[in-house]
């Protein structure tokens, strides 16, 4: 086994429940888990976009028994009882800040009540040995000073999405000891802003840019100088997998982990300038003053705990991350299959982990 890589022997044949498997991060995680031989059951709503990554990677029949709304406790409990998962990744969520403003009730219902429904179902079935609940870098009480958050910082949220994810953390904390008594160790994973090929959600920077640039439209950017801890989607997913292995091993671990880049957060303007290099004759207009509902100006994470406790650190810098992301979309628009593009990125990332391991860096 190579240090810093998920253990294929652990995942081969493992019964895994993955909520949110039709979303961007969920589709990538499903792809990785199945490549390692895990027996994965999904639990999610149907993809919103016809070009969704899940739909590109899996036959429609895959959805037949896995479209379950986590807000429906009866259907969710039935799925968990039927599959008896050993490891659970909870990614299902309403994950868009601006949609949180327009649909606050649905956001709280999905992110808070939905999480509670899942933990209730797991407590009833008692098969799980590890539970990783993903939240966000936006769970922290943010005063916009740019200081990197550590896991012990106070939680908060000034918008429905952020507040719902902070509340989700409280729900997990309330169930933690009950699940532990039944042999299931639990941790939350707070990832920075994730980019990568195959994300087509609305109101996200890269997907909005690709849609505008590929159709010859001008990309309108409302907060060009906002800074975020950008990382390629494979970076936190590696952390989630290794965290789940640690939880299942019965070893003591922290209740929450940050997953983000070691480098400083970068501005929206910087990310777009790097992405535009993969396209021709793109047009972008930056607003002089912030537009739209309030959002944090500065976000940064301190991922030191994941490095020391799990041996996981980010490997791709901002330039590599954006180049690979934009290159994925360029290839897809040019007709390359999504599966080939994902396999290429996974291969490149695993090679990077192996090289880092040989150099003594995990």
């Amino acid at each position: 086994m190579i240090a810093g890589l998920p253990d294929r022997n652990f995942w081969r044949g493992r019964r895994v429940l993955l909520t949110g498997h039709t979303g961007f991060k969920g589709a990538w995680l499903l792809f990785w888990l199945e490549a390692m031989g895990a027996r994965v059951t999904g639990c999610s709503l149907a993809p919103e976009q016809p070009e969704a990554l899940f739909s590109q990677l899996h036959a429609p029949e895959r959805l037949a028994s896995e479209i379950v709304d986590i807000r429906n406790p009866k259907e969710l409990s039935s799925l968990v009882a039927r599959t008896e998962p050993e490891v659970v990744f909870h990614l299902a969520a309403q994950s868009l800040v601006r949609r949180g403003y327009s649909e606050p009730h649905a956001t709280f219902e999905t992110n808070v009540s939905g999480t509670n429904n899942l933990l209730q179902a797991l407590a009833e079935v008692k098969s799980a040995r590890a539970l990783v609940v993903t939240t966000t870098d936006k769970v922290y009480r943010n005063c916009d000073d740019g200081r990197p958050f550590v896991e012990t910082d106070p939680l908060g949220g000034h918008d429905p999405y952020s507040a719902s994810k902070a509340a989700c953390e409280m729900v997990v904390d309330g169930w933690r000891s009950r699940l532990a008594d039944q042999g299931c160790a639990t941790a939350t994973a707070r990832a920075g802003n994730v980019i990568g090929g195959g994300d087509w959600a609305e109101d996200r920077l890269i997907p909005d840019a690709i849609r505008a640039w590929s159709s010859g439209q001008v990309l309108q950017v409302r907060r060009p100088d906002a800074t975020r801890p950008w990382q390629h989607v494979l970076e936190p997913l590696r952390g989630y997998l290794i965290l789940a292995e640690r939880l299942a091993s019965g070893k003591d671990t922290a209740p929450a982990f940050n997953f983000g880049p070691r480098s400083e957060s970068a501005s929206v303007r910087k990310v777009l300038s790097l992405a535009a290099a993969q396209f021709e004759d793109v047009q972008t207009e930056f607003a002089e003053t912030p537009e739209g509902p309030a959002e944090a100006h500065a976000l940064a994470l301190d991922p030191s705990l994941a490095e020391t406790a799990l041996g996981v650190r980010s490997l791709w810098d901002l330039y590599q991350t954006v180049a690979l992301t934009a290159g994925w979309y360029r290839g897809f628009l040019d007709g390359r299959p999504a599966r080939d593009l994902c396999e290429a990125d996974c291969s490149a990332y695993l090679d990077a982990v192996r090289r880092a391991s040989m150099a003594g860096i995990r």
Side-chain angles (χ1 to χ4, degrees):
M1 176 183 173
I2 297 175
L5 274 180
D7 184 357
R8 281 179 170 268
N9 292 328
F10 174 87
W11 293 105
R12 188 176 297 113
R14 186 76 59 177
R15 297 191 309 277
V16 177
L17 175 63
L18 170 59
T19 75
H21 68 303
T22 63
F24 165 54
K25 286 171 66 178
W28 273 99
L29 184 53
L30 176 61
F31 186 73
W32 196 341
L33 283 165
E34 292 191 333
M36 294 190 293
R39 296 163 53 193
V40 186
T41 298
C43 172
S44 183
L45 300 178
E48 291 188 350
Q49 301 85 15
E51 69 272 42
L53 183 60
F54 175 87
S55 301
Q56 298 292 326
L57 298 177
H58 299 279
E61 294 77 19
R62 175 76 199 244
L63 288 173
S65 63
E66 299 181 333
I67 296 302
V68 174
D69 191 334
I70 61 172
R71 294 173 294 182
N72 187 320
K74 185 176 180 179
E75 289 187 4
L76 185 56
S77 293
S78 176
L79 177 67
V80 172
R82 185 171 69 249
T83 57
E84 296 186 326
E86 300 169 275
V87 177
V88 181
F89 293 99
H90 180 38
L91 276 65
Q94 193 301 95
S95 58
L96 301 174
V97 172
R98 286 169 68 87
R99 184 179 293 182
Y101 278 109
S102 62
E103 302 176 10
H105 177 77
T107 298
F108 280 102
E109 188 177 23
T110 299
N111 296 349
V112 183
S113 297
T115 299
N116 186 67
N117 291 340
L118 174 64
L119 272 57
Q120 173 71 48
L122 294 174
E124 292 170 353
V125 175
K126 304 178 183 179
S127 63
R129 295 295 169 262
L131 166 64
V132 176
V133 178
T134 66
T135 57
T136 174
D137 55 356
K138 299 172 182 64
V139 297
Y140 295 107
R141 189 182 305 160
N142 193 346
C143 59
D144 260 348
D145 62 1
R147 180 183 62 82
F149 292 111
V150 296
E151 289 82 353
T152 53
D153 280 334
L155 304 183
H158 299 296
D159 63 88
Y161 168 70
S162 302
S164 73
K165 281 298 195 175
C168 172
E169 293 265 357
M170 297 296 98
V171 170
V172 174
D173 200 45
W175 278 99
R176 194 184 310 275
S177 61
R178 165 79 179 275
L179 293 172
D181 290 342
Q182 298 175 181
C184 179
T186 303
T188 59
R190 304 164 182 170
N193 281 50
V194 173
I195 60 176
D199 186 4
W200 298 103
E202 296 180 356
D203 288 324
R204 283 194 184 141
L205 181 66
I206 296 297
D208 284 350
I210 299 303
R211 277 188 287 267
W213 294 343
S214 63
S215 59
Q217 298 177 356
V218 178
L219 174 66
Q220 304 288 339
V221 181
R222 59 182 182 269
R223 286 182 168 83
D225 297 315
T227 58
R228 298 290 186 266
W230 309 96
Q231 59 185 328
H232 192 277
V233 62
L234 292 172
E235 301 271 30
L237 294 187
R238 177 168 67 111
Y240 300 170
L241 291 165
I242 291 176
L243 174 56
E245 293 174 17
R246 177 65 62 87
L247 293 169
S249 73
K251 297 178 181 177
D252 289 338
T253 190
F257 287 89
N258 290 336
F259 294 100
R262 288 298 303 170
S263 57
E264 293 183 0
S265 294
S267 70
V268 167
R269 192 189 303 269
K270 177 67 173 178
V271 169
L272 288 176
S273 69
L274 294 173
Q278 296 283 340
F279 295 83
E280 297 179 357
D281 301 323
V282 301
Q283 299 183 65
T284 305
E285 290 185 0
F286 298 106
E288 294 184 5
T289 57
E291 299 177 358
E295 296 181 46
H297 176 74
L299 271 175
L301 290 180
D302 183 341
S304 300
L305 181 60
E307 293 181 12
T308 57
L310 303 176
V312 175
R313 63 176 297 167
S314 60
L315 298 175
W316 283 340
D317 62 21
L318 181 68
Y319 296 89
Q320 293 171 297
T321 295
V322 178
L324 284 162
T325 299
W328 192 102
Y329 286 103
R330 181 72 274 170
F332 184 77
L333 294 172
D334 288 342
R336 289 188 63 189
R339 178 170 289 275
D340 291 351
L341 293 164
C342 290
E343 287 177 347
D345 282 359
C346 284
S347 179
Y349 186 68
L350 295 179
D351 285 345
V353 177
R354 293 185 184 99
R355 289 194 301 271
S357 179
M358 292 177 63
I361 303 171
R362 291 183 289 175

